[in-house]
Amino acid sequence: MAIVTKMVSDLTGKEADKDKFVELVVREAPGLEAPVRLDVLPDEIKNLKSGGEYVLLEVKNGDVQQLIVSVADFKKLAPNMDEILANAPGLRGRKPGYSPNRG
């Protein structure tokens, strides 16, 4: 008697040898509470394209809303966006370049 194990794609159910699969990690998606891992074949995801450079934002006003916008659209918010970001305080309220060890 022999036990046969076969591997199938989480996306299509297509069977292939284990060494043909890649791991696809979905970190964030609507309705997803925690990151998940999928076993997929490279051909199944070959047409996925990166959206290019983007900025991940949070808008907080009691609720938290996440936005993903293009770098170009983000930089249109202010003509000196790079300077604004360089001088903005961190999430801990510290000014750029401040170190608690230096006083």
Side-chain angles (χ1 to χ4, degrees), residues 16-103:
D17 292 333
K18 184 176 181 174
D19 63 342
K20 302 289 186 203
F21 284 86
V22 297
E23 183 177 299
L24 179 66
V25 176
V26 182
R27 297 216 175 267
E28 292 183 22
L32 189 65
E33 293 183 25
V36 297
R37 180 188 56 81
L38 302 174
D39 294 315
V40 303
L41 295 165
D43 282 349
E44 297 171 333
I45 60 171
K46 70 180 179 186
N47 292 325
L48 288 178
K49 302 261 188 273
S50 174
E53 290 187 298
Y54 66 90
V55 179
L56 177 60
L57 305 170
E58 285 183 358
V59 180
K60 297 180 179 183
N61 64 345
D63 293 328
V64 177
Q65 178 185 8
Q66 286 192 339
L67 302 172
I68 298 174
V69 300
S70 71
V71 170
D73 285 344
F74 180 68
K75 288 190 174 193
K76 288 179 187 175
L77 295 174
N80 58 339
M81 185 56 75
D82 292 337
E83 182 181 336
I84 290 170
L85 292 176
N87 293 314
L91 294 180
R92 293 183 174 182
R94 296 180 180 153
K95 294 186 179 194
Y98 172 80
S99 172
N101 296 330
R102 291 188 292 170

Side-chain angles (χ1 to χ4, degrees), residues 5-9 13-21 41:
T5 303
K6 64 180 182 177
M7 192 158 177
V8 297
S9 168
K14 186 176 178 181
E15 186 178 338
D17 292 333
K18 184 176 181 174
D19 63 342
K20 302 289 186 203
F21 284 86
L41 295 165

